[in-house]
Amino acid sequence: MVRTGKKPLYSWIKIDPKFLSNSKLHQLRLDVENTIRGLARSFDANVNGTLTSYNDDLTSEDYELLAIFHREEQNFRQILYGIRTFPKFNIAAQYRWTVKSISPLDNRSVQKMASHPAKNKQNFAKTRLINFNIPQNKLLKEQLVYVPRFKIEVQHLLY
């Protein structure tokens, strides 16, 4: 604690041991957390109460990941809602012969129609196609397909 005038200021202090490197200290902490039971095996959630479980197959890092997933569940649901509501897409132009054209004729349409006079009752018109099969959505699909598999793996480990 440091006082500047009337207002005290607080800060974290990091103590580095003299005879242990950071990697050895991290490994020591993991070994201790993997051997103890009780509070280290529980985490609190704001909405769903306390979730506690102990399983010899899970390491402390697994429990940290579960705690993160448990805390971020609402954020994940909001992200999925955003993906469903406002999907990413690409609008492409496609030309085809039609009897009735929706869009006005452009230079490419006029040239094509002039080169094919036999199709005088048809227009070579541009239509717009919405393409959802873009690289961003493919990557997102690969990541989202993994989530149910991960959930099944976690449930298998916990129960």
Side-chain angles (χ1 to χ4, degrees), residues 2 7-8 15 17-18 21 23 26 56 59 71 74 76 81 84 86 91 100 106 108 115-116 118-119 131 133 144:
V2 177
K7 186 175 183 181
I15 299 172
K18 288 183 180 180
S21 65
S23 60
H26 180 69
D56 288 330
T59 64
R71 281 193 311 265
Q74 184 63 28
F76 181 71
Y81 174 77
R84 270 190 242 116
F86 309 107
I91 298 177
K100 185 169 146 185
D106 59 359
R108 182 175 174 189
S115 65
H116 292 84
K119 297 184 178 186
N131 182 16
N133 197 16
L144 289 177

Side-chain angles (χ1 to χ4, degrees), residues 9-157:
L9 301 174
Y10 298 93
S11 175
W12 289 101
I13 297 174
K14 181 179 179 188
I15 299 172
D16 291 327
K18 288 183 180 180
F19 304 110
L20 287 176
S21 65
N22 282 339
S23 60
K24 287 183 180 180
L25 182 63
H26 180 69
Q27 186 61 39
L28 177 67
R29 182 176 56 105
L30 290 177
D31 290 343
V32 169
E33 288 180 354
N34 285 335
T35 57
I36 61 174
R37 298 172 190 247
L39 291 177
R41 299 296 187 203
S42 67
F43 49 90
D44 295 327
N46 295 337
V47 180
N48 297 330
T50 304
L51 176 63
T52 60
S53 177
Y54 181 77
N55 189 334
D56 288 330
D57 297 335
L58 297 176
T59 64
S60 62
E61 291 173 340
D62 294 335
Y63 280 103
E64 289 174 13
L65 283 174
L66 286 173
I68 291 169
F69 286 128
H70 193 66
R71 281 193 311 265
E72 295 295 325
E73 179 184 4
Q74 184 63 28
N75 189 22
F76 181 71
R77 290 176 189 264
Q78 289 175 348
I79 290 170
L80 285 181
Y81 174 77
I83 290 170
R84 270 190 242 116
T85 309
F86 309 107
K88 303 268 186 220
F89 58 88
N90 185 10
I91 298 177
Q94 181 181 15
Y95 287 86
R96 63 174 80 169
W97 290 99
T98 61
V99 176
K100 185 169 146 185
S101 67
I102 298 170
S103 62
L105 299 177
D106 59 359
N107 190 27
R108 182 175 174 189
S109 299
V110 173
Q111 287 177 355
K112 190 74 165 182
M113 288 169 57
S115 65
H116 292 84
K119 297 184 178 186
N120 60 356
K121 296 195 179 194
Q122 293 182 347
N123 294 327
F124 190 71
K126 176 170 54 173
T127 57
R128 305 250 185 226
L129 295 177
I130 297 177
N131 182 16
F132 292 100
N133 197 16
I134 58 175
Q136 294 93 337
N137 288 346
K138 289 178 183 177
L139 179 64
L140 184 63
K141 178 186 174 187
E142 288 177 14
Q143 293 172 351
L144 289 177
V145 164
Y146 177 72
V147 172
R149 282 188 274 144
F150 176 76
K151 182 181 175 186
I152 291 169
E153 289 175 16
V154 168
Q155 287 176 342
H156 177 70
L157 285 174

